[in-house]
């Protein structure tokens, strides 16, 4: 499983140019394909969902040309797809599946429409029922009411009247409306029940209007597409930035100081999710807006909880759920039943993952309540849902965390985590690596105290693993066995002591026997993997000093300062000898020297994370330095690095 580990964040500030809106991109592509004439589409979103639509259009014989960058040319087919017989795979792209179902059902060909397993669990009955009322021939290939579907040519009835449910997903109404001009006759659509996510219907109507089709609207109950309506290319069309994607960056600004400015959507947007900014303002954030930009800044006295009906911002409302972790009080998001039929059951997924971080969560059929708490590190699952991954990145303001399968953001925002990194600042890390007994532990601990940072003695984790394995009777060479011990290590670090399974370990991990054991278990890749996140979880505000062998190379490759601290083997053996004698222990200098050299050899020759000086690490040879001199040198470097 791929993952991304986020250190705790300190602040957020900057400007983000947003990728194109997913909703508008896929609507524009389909309407351009159904139009008479060629359309140049600019600022199209490059993502999984738009790729599914582009691929489908190509399969259907539509002329699709990439003009470079985010620009595409679509050669419209005037509502008659050249390919009359095709099988389409649409992944998990609801914004491709629903409208294509409607358009293809009314376009007189034989088509099979399929998706990933989750797509086959997302209901489509209301749309199919609507199409059948017009005479369309649609068959469910597996389960009644769900994709995959088989569409056949059919006689479309005259003077149609369609009743469609509006309370499960607005995408059904969108799909129907966009396909109706293909019938070449007047059709009235009546919505049964409360229409949800109305702003998405606004996007549909506005986009249809850009392609020359005016839908007559009677409140939110009746929509009429008149006979003779035809899509005509607008020539060139620009896709707005994605307002749902904007929500993450606005929230970053609201939580992390800001201002964070997003460009590509603003006051003049046709996307309902721009109203996320109002919700954020209700939480106390300072929002500014221009025609095509918005910015958010944290309030002086912190964010406050809200109790909100989120029906009008179903996608962006997810961002409120993780923003709530930083707001005083209990936030309640209501009227969000549609979350349950999205990429995953988003209410359930949100509740499970928020609880992993320590938040108190209550969920109901159509609501979620979140009460913040001191957050703890956790590995967050994302359920193949781009929004889960993006929402949970905000939680990094409260704790270091791991996000599993982060590439799922490709559905709408492939380079999300790069943009995220560009506007956020995380807790600084000073990585000090070096061989055994080089004095790096003492230096690292003193630097941490001087800066008020946390100190991570990563070697202690390997020593504790060796000790725990020995206590459990697991052989140090048993990779799987020791890795399991490392993964479940019950250890507590405090100012002056380390506890293993509740008991103070003291010097038991510092013996020569445990030094050898640690060196052996540290060479096992599975053990290193098991300890990776545990080490990164120390990356907390205000900062961290970590010492070990691979702090700068593997655990904290983005460290603000990397130091390779070493001394001659003879000097190190002598220091260790003095330490042991001072403790009243017996010691033999030649043996210690031999032992050190063997350990150096094992630590630097092993295949995983070997001890070596990174190209960007500063060398500090302490053979002739006192501890104070070494500490001062690291403090001077860190001052330079942290400026
Ligand atoms: O720093 P130390 O002597 O306490 O480390 C004990 C052992 O753990 C040492 O043999 C190397 C290994 N180690 C490692 O492989 N990677 C680290 N980051 C820290 C220690």
């Amino acid at each position: 499983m791929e993952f991304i580990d986020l250190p705790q964040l300190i602040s957020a500030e900057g400007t983000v140019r947003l990728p194109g809106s997913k909703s508008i991109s896929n609507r524009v592509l389909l309407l351009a394909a159904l139009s008479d004439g060629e359309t140049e589409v600019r600022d199209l979103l490059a993502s999984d969902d738009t790729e599914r639509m582009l691929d489908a259009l190509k399969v259907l014989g539509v002329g699709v040309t990439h003009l470079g960058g985010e620009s595409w040319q679509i050669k419209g087919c005037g509502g008659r797809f050249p390919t009359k017989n095709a099988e389409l795979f649409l992944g998990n792209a609801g914004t491709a599946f629903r409208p294509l179902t409607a358009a293809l059902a009314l376009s007189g060909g034989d088509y099979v429409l399929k998706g990933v397993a989750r797509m086959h669990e997302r209901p489509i009955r209301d749309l199919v029922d609507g199409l059948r009322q017009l005479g369309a021939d649609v068959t469910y290939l597996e389960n009644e009411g769900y994709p995959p579907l088989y569409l056949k040519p059919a006689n479309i009835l005259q003077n149609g009247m369609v009743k469609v449910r509006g309370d499960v997903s607005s995408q059904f109404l969108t799909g129907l409306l966009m396909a109706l001009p293909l019938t070449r006759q007047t059709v009235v659509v009546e919505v049964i029940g409360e229409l949800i996510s109305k702003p998405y219907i606004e996007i549909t109507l506005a986009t249809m209007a850009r392609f020359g089709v005016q839908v007559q609207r009677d409140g939110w109950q009746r929509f009429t597409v008149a006979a003779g309506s035809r899509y005509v290319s607008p020539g060139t069309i620009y896709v707005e930035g994605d307002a749902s994607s904007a929500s993450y960056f606005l929230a970053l600004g609201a939580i992390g100081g800001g201002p964070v400015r997003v460009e590509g959507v603003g006051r003049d947007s046709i996307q309902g999710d721009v109203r996320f900014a109002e919700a954020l303002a209700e939480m106390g954030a300072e929002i500014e807006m221009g025609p095509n930009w918005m910015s958010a800044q944290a309030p002086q006295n912190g964010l406050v909880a809200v109790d909100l009906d989120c029906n009008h911002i179903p996608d962006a409302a997810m961002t409120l759920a993780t923003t709530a972790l930083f707001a005083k009080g209990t936030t309640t998001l209501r009227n969000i039943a549609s979350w349950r039929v999205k990429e995953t059951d988003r209410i359930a997924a949100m509740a499970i993952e928020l609880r992993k971080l320590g938040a108190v969560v209550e969920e109901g059929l159509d609501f979620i309540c979140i009460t913040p708490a001191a957050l703890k590190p956790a590995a967050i699952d994302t359920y193949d849902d781009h929004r889960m991954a993006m929402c949970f990145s905000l939680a990094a303001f409260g704790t270091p965390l791991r996000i599993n399968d982060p590439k799922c953001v490709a559905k709408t925002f492939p380079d999300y985590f790069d943009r995220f990194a560009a506007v956020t600042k995380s807790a600084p890390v000073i990585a000090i690596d070096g061989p055994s007994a080089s004095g790096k532990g003492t230096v690292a601990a003193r630097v941490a105290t001087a800066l008020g940072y946390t100190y991570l003695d990563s070697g202690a984790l390997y020593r504790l693993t060796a000790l725990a394995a020995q206590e459990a009777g697991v052989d140090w060479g048993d990779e799987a066995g020791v890795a399991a011990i490392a993964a479940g290590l019950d250890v507590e670090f405090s100012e002056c002591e380390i506890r293993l399974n509740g008991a103070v370990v003291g010097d038991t991990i510092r013996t020569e026997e445990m030094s050898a054991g640690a060196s052996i278990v540290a060479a096992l890749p599975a053990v290193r993997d098991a300890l990776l996140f545990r080490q990164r979880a120390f990356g907390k505000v205000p900062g961290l000093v970590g010492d070990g062998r691979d702090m700068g190379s593997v655990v904290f490759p983005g460290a603000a300062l990397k130091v390779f601290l070493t001394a001659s083997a003879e000097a190190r053996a002598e220091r260790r000898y003095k330490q042991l004698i001072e403790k009243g222990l017996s010691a033999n200098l030649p043996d210690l020297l031999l032992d050190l050299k063997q350990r150096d050899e094992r630590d630097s020759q092993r295949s995983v994370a070997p001890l070596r000086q990174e190209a960007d690490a500063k060398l500090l040879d302490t053979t002739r330095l006192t501890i104070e001199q070494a500490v001062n040198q690291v403090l001077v470097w860190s001052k330079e690095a942290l400026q």
Side-chain angles (χ1 to χ4, degrees):
M1 163 89 72
E2 286 192 41
F3 56 80
I4 184 168
D5 289 333
L6 302 177
Q8 190 176 6
L9 298 177
I10 289 180
S11 61
E13 191 186 353
T15 299
V16 178
R17 174 95 209 148
L18 294 166
S21 150
K22 171 182 74 153
S23 305
I24 299 177
S25 290
N26 268 354
R27 281 170 176 77
V28 163
L29 287 176
L30 181 60
L31 297 192
L34 295 176
S35 290
D36 291 317
E38 285 175 12
T39 305
E40 192 172 321
V41 183
R42 301 253 177 97
D43 297 340
L44 189 82
L45 170 67
S47 73
D48 286 349
D49 274 22
T50 46
E51 227 168 82
R52 293 290 79 74
M53 179 63 100
L54 285 164
D55 285 349
L57 295 180
K58 284 182 209 162
V59 171
L60 292 167
V62 176
V64 172
T65 312
H66 190 194
L67 302 175
E70 279 80 48
S71 297
W72 293 77
Q73 189 191 56
I74 310 294
K75 255 192 200 138
C77 59
R80 288 170 303 276
F81 291 109
T83 307
K84 289 284 168 222
N85 203 311
E87 180 171 316
L88 302 179
F89 175 75
L90 299 164
N92 200 8
T95 56
F97 206 106
R98 279 70 178 266
L100 277 169
T101 296
L104 293 174
L106 301 180
S107 71
D110 280 87
Y111 302 105
V112 171
L113 273 65
K114 294 182 168 174
V116 297
R118 174 63 187 167
M119 193 74 231
H120 294 177
E121 290 169 3
R122 298 173 70 181
I124 197 160
R125 183 192 298 276
D126 296 324
L127 173 59
V128 171
D129 286 353
L131 292 166
R132 284 176 173 168
Q133 290 168 53
L134 288 168
D137 188 343
V138 184
T139 311
Y140 297 112
L141 289 174
E142 284 173 15
N143 295 323
E144 278 290 299
Y146 298 87
L149 303 175
Y150 176 33
L151 316 176
K152 275 184 277 192
N155 288 327
I156 301 307
L157 306 177
Q158 292 301 304
N159 297 319
M161 166 88 186
V162 182
K163 288 183 198 283
V164 64
R165 269 181 66 178
D167 54 357
V168 177
S169 165
S170 67
Q171 285 184 18
F172 302 145
L173 179 57
T174 283
L176 260 181
L177 288 173
M178 293 204 297
L180 288 181
L182 301 185
T183 66
R184 305 265 182 261
Q185 49 171 308
T186 300
V187 182
V188 179
V189 182
E190 214 175 282
V191 177
I192 310 296
E194 163 82 6
L195 178 63
I196 60 165
S197 316
K198 296 184 182 81
Y200 284 106
I201 300 302
E202 304 249 31
I203 296 178
T204 304
L205 301 182
T207 315
M208 288 172 73
R210 285 297 310 279
F211 282 85
V213 171
Q214 299 290 340
V215 178
Q216 227 178 295
R217 181 163 82 81
D218 211 346
W220 292 103
Q221 238 51 59
R222 267 167 165 268
F223 299 83
T224 307
V225 176
S229 298
R230 274 184 95 83
Y231 288 122
V232 180
S233 166
T236 300
I237 187 164
Y238 288 82
V239 175
E240 273 184 21
D242 193 297
S244 313
S245 300
S247 69
Y248 311 110
F249 295 99
L250 294 177
L252 281 177
I255 302 166
V260 175
R261 177 181 160 114
V262 292
E263 292 182 344
V265 284
R267 199 185 301 117
D268 294 349
S269 168
I270 59 167
Q271 297 168 76
D273 268 357
V274 286
R275 292 190 58 198
F276 170 81
E278 290 168 22
L280 211 51
E282 243 184 86
M283 295 181 93
E286 290 170 21
I287 304 289
E288 283 187 45
M289 226 184 255
N292 70 342
W293 63 267
M294 297 189 273
S295 77
Q297 211 169 333
Q300 287 269 309
N301 299 319
L303 296 169
V304 288
V306 284
D307 184 328
L308 266 189
D309 182 324
C310 296
N311 192 268
H312 61 299
I313 48 169
D315 283 350
M318 284 180 78
T319 313
L320 296 175
T322 47
T323 306
L325 295 171
F326 306 96
K328 196 161 164 252
T330 299
T331 289
T332 304
L333 308 176
R334 299 181 193 279
N335 209 352
I336 52 169
S338 68
W339 281 23
R340 295 214 182 262
V341 294
K342 297 284 175 129
E343 279 79 344
T344 183
D345 177 340
R346 286 176 165 170
I347 296 184
M350 188 57 85
I352 292 169
E353 302 307 315
L354 285 171
R355 285 184 189 125
K356 278 188 191 169
L357 292 168
V360 179
V361 183
E362 192 194 332
E363 65 168 298
L365 269 184
D366 66 348
F367 72 88
I368 190 164
C369 300
I370 300 127
T371 308
L375 300 188
K376 55 180 189 220
I380 300 299
D381 289 313
T382 48
Y383 307 76
D384 199 16
D385 183 350
H386 54 138
R387 300 209 185 282
M388 285 293 288
M390 296 189 278
C391 283
F392 275 87
S393 65
L394 305 178
F397 274 112
T399 177
L401 79 165
R402 170 167 288 187
I403 294 182
N404 286 327
D405 187 21
K407 290 207 178 117
C408 66
V409 298
K411 190 169 204 289
T412 50
F413 205 154
D415 60 351
Y416 174 75
F417 283 104
D418 294 336
R419 309 283 195 96
F420 173 87
V423 294
T424 54
K425 211 175 187 182
S426 44
V429 174
I430 296 173
I432 303 182
D433 288 305
S436 292
S438 55
K440 63 189 183 319
T442 312
V443 171
R446 291 204 191 174
V447 169
T449 305
L451 296 173
Y453 285 9
T454 308
Y455 166 52
L456 165 63
D457 170 3
S458 65
L461 283 172
Y462 291 95
R463 290 172 181 270
L464 286 160
T465 302
L467 177 65
Q470 191 183 56
E471 284 178 355
V474 174
D475 193 272
W476 286 335
D478 171 0
E479 181 162 4
V482 181
I485 298 245
L489 213 55
D490 175 10
V491 27
E492 225 179 290
F493 286 88
S494 65
E495 280 286 297
C496 45
E497 61 186 25
I498 302 175
R499 284 171 184 270
L500 180 63
N501 299 322
V504 177
V505 290
D507 278 345
T508 38
I509 57 165
R510 304 286 165 202
T511 62
E512 288 304 300
E513 185 191 11
M514 281 313 140
S515 298
S519 175
I520 292 167
V521 300
L524 306 172
V527 172
R528 304 199 74 86
D529 280 351
L531 292 177
L532 184 61
F533 182 54
R534 204 179 266 273
Q535 296 172 79
R536 288 180 174 166
F538 281 84
K540 283 191 275 202
V541 169
L544 172 72
V545 183
D547 88 67
R549 305 293 185 285
D550 62 346
M551 294 291 99
S553 58
V554 176
V555 183
F556 300 108
L561 170 66
K562 298 179 186 178
V563 177
F564 190 78
L565 196 144
T566 188
S568 69
E570 289 70 21
R572 288 185 283 132
E574 217 160 290
R575 286 175 194 167
R576 177 56 54 91
Y577 178 77
K578 276 192 197 148
Q579 262 175 6
L580 292 173
I581 296 297
E582 270 166 26
K583 283 186 185 168
L585 300 169
S586 66
N588 172 308
L589 190 55
D591 282 358
L592 280 175
L593 181 58
L594 186 67
D595 214 48
L596 259 183
K597 285 184 170 168
Q598 278 172 352
R599 233 178 321 142
D600 282 356
E601 173 84 4
R602 197 159 40 212
D603 291 344
S604 51
Q605 294 306 315
R606 68 183 177 214
S607 59
V608 282
L611 173 68
R612 63 183 153 87
Q613 186 186 348
E614 284 293 283
D616 55 350
K618 292 188 184 293
L619 178 67
L620 184 58
D621 187 332
T622 65
T623 307
R624 277 181 249 298
L625 296 184
T626 64
I627 292 171
E628 281 68 30
Q629 286 171 321
V631 170
N632 284 337
Q633 180 59 72
V634 176
L635 285 174
V636 168
W637 282 335
S638 58
K639 206 168 174 190
E640 286 165 12
L642 299 176
Q643 259 171 9

